[in-house]
Amino acid sequence: MSAIITRATVVGGHDGRAEIEVELTYANGGTSTISLDEDACLASLDTAGINSIDDLVGQPWSTVLPALELLGDTHARSRHS
Amino acid sequence: MTARQFVFPQAGDDLATLAARELPDLADAAQQLLSWNLHLAARRSTGLLPSDVVFTEPPPAR
Amino acid sequence: MLDLVIRNGFIVDGSGLPGRNGDVSIKGGKVVSVGGRAGEAQRVIDATGRVVAPGFIDPHTHYDAQLCFDPYAFPAIEHGVTTVVPGNCSLSLAPLRIDQRDSFSRMFRLIEEMPEAAFDAGVDWRWGEGFGGWLDALEQNIALNVAPLVGHSVLRMYVMGPEAQSRAADAAEIRAMADLLRVCLDAGAVGLSTSFVDIDEHYRPVPSRWAAPAELDALSAVLGERDAVLQIVHEFYDTELTIARIEHLAELSLRHGITTTLSPLFHTNGNNTGVQRVMAAVEAARARGAAVWPQVQTRPIDISFTLEQRSLMLLTMPAWWKVASIRDHAEKLAAVAAGRDALVAEMNAMSRRPNGGLGAGGFVVREVVHARNNDLIGRNIDDIARERGTSHGDTVVDLALDEDLGTWFIRASIGHDNSPVVGDLLAHPFVHVGASDGGAHVGSFSTFGDTGYLFSEFVRGTKSLSLEAAVKKITLDPASIWGLKGRGLLAAGNAADVVVFDADHIGRGPEIASNDFPGEGVRWIRRQEGVDSVVVNGEVTWSADAGYAPEARAGVIATRD
């Protein structure tokens, strides 16, 4: 069972930076929403060769995975409270 | 209302060991687990943290 | 003779009951009478036509560092705030070993966005290492009340040293942390704060995130012994994780009889059902008897961005995105000049989208490069365009070229901005109004004025709450949740924390740049609107007529029952 990105929207992050809110829909119809911070999102777009968040819709969940893994070791920016 | 089923990692766990313990009958369990837990995807260096919530099922159908 | 009488006001006492006209009298820092006609006093405040309410309580702040050099937590008090809870999100200035100060400071400055110069100039560590010493030092020089949390990350650092950030604790270390927590609680901490989201300057999870559930359980048991509170900052950007944390908090609450609170909880239009599901989880926890309080802020979220750097704000404008992606500055500037027509057209199209991207009405100049443009700060691009007789897009491009792309802009109200929905959320009986983050993120946005905004937007605007209900939300409710004895209610014998305000005009004021912090750089603040007087433990600490009383230092460490 794999998840598909069904929505990607620019939203305001808690720390005053923009974020992308991504909705994933699973094969069972269940959905979950994750939020990518600016660095992670930009890296995801670069990795996928995408120039617009609209193009994320329809992509498999794994589109954002390479960027997240890359960021995990280098400059991943988690949320600040 | 209850939360999605989740567990906290045990000492020495990674997604593979956790998947083997929690989802022994599921093919490709570690990859499935990752798809349900994208918040853990950026942990190549630190791995799972003892306080991490790890979902052991997909989001409920609504 | 009484010390102070606040005469002939409309008393909204914090209980949520209907307000009534009368006097409030004060002597020796305590309320003597509420209602009726009070006797003579050394000082009288005429509150005719004004609301007289308990001082507001701000439950989620990071004033730890600012209070070291600013006893007023400026400008919190003038907004009516008389009690603050610092030490949230696992970080407090004590207990901390001397050799851990540098690493802690870097962590605090990053996570709470506090300028290094301000932190270093203000925090002198004169109290040594212990929590009690920190509170003693603080209490000598504060103009408002402080109900401090002790941070889980610093407890770990104190007990485990550098390994606090690399592994779970063993049984002996957990016992040592529990003992240390007891000491901190007995010294005056109102609870423990922990974080499940933060990272340090090396992108490493903060120490509290290395705690296994057994550690948090043991510390929660200590909180239960002392009737103290557990605060967490959870994965607030993820509904599912938030619900899981609520379930965990409910278990801890029931097992140890503690009050728990999580912050922040936001609403976004794109994930409208998320907040509903979170609140359903809270309601389920409450039905089981657990005390779980999500904190919700009143203010909407604003985003800052510049045309110099790639920003997600530009992602819906391909031409701008292309320009922002150019690394070389000179090349980038040349591209703006050369691509002007397309950039202008794109910006104009975007400005006409009602709710998208850089939509008109919320696109404001925040910071300029050249002093000659100072008069543009705080102004909407559309207003500037009208004044100049140019289009929205031309105005942006002209400014960008004039300032070498260095101008900073705000897209206001991009999240948590659906006021009817947020209003209903704030009015929910299980929602704890707070999460201001006062004293943090100082260079990004103002954390001041949330209380005024509660009244302007949600009492006068959406009418989601009555005046009395709104006052209760930020007075008796937080005092009860945090167990702050004798506060949050205007009643005889209680602490004389009082705010006098104009219900028709109280607001949050415009966001302005201020360079009042030590070191260089600006921070963002809001000055009060519609507040007349603020009394802390019987002392008139701020008034619209006289401003801040220079010698006012009536603040105390506000302890639990």
Side-chain angles (χ1 to χ4, degrees), chain C residues 104-181:
Chain C
F104 170 83
S105 301
R106 286 194 296 273
M107 195 184 308
F108 184 95
R109 291 195 307 257
L110 174 85
I111 292 170
E112 307 309 345
E113 296 186 71
M114 163 68 72
E116 181 174 357
F119 188 98
D120 289 349
V123 179
D124 61 9
W125 307 101
R126 61 190 181 277
W127 53 88
E129 294 188 342
F131 198 81
W134 142 246
L135 295 189
D136 288 345
L138 205 57
E139 196 163 26
Q140 291 171 14
N141 192 37
I142 43 176
L144 78 178
N145 306 307
V146 175
L149 287 160
V150 60
H152 187 183
S153 283
V154 295
L155 282 186
R156 289 195 117 238
M157 290 168 69
Y158 197 93
V159 169
M160 300 175 67
E163 294 187 22
Q165 247 174 314
S166 63
R167 64 171 174 85
D170 63 26
E173 289 164 336
I174 290 174
R175 278 196 301 275
M177 274 187 260
D179 290 342
L180 185 55
L181 175 57

Side-chain angles (χ1 to χ4, degrees), chain C residues 262-298:
Chain C
L262 66 158
S263 54
L265 172 63
F266 294 117
H267 174 265
T268 62
N269 287 322
N271 183 22
N272 194 40
T273 58
V275 160
Q276 294 170 7
R277 293 176 57 223
V278 168
M279 289 311 300
V282 170
E283 288 165 2
R286 295 295 291 260
R288 293 163 57 201
V292 180
W293 292 91
Q295 290 185 30
V296 177
Q297 70 183 45
T298 63

Side-chain angles (χ1 to χ4, degrees), chain A residues 7 10 12-21 33 35 38 42 45-46 51 53 74 76 78-81, chain C residues 89 111-112 197-199 203 233 236-237 266 268 270-271 301-304 310-312 315 321 414 437 441 445:
Chain A
R7 180 173 54 81
V10 178
H14 168 60
D15 58 0
R17 298 180 74 192
E19 295 179 351
I20 300 288
E21 194 171 78
T33 304
S35 181
E38 193 143 34
L42 295 178
L45 295 169
D46 286 346
N51 288 318
I53 57 168
T74 55
S78 185
R79 303 309 191 283
H80 297 317
S81 55
Chain C
C89 305
I111 292 170
E112 307 309 345
V197 299
D198 290 305
I199 55 171
Y203 312 107
V233 54
F236 47 83
Y237 42 85
F266 294 117
T268 62
N271 183 22
I301 293 173
D302 302 338
I303 293 299
S304 298
R310 289 204 307 180
S311 163
L312 297 181
L315 202 47
W321 179 256
I414 197 170
D437 254 345
H441 309 296
F445 48 80

Side-chain angles (χ1 to χ4, degrees), chain C residues 69-83:
Chain C
F69 59 86
D70 171 16
Y72 297 92
F74 175 79
I77 291 175
E78 68 185 51
H79 287 282
V81 174
T82 57
T83 301

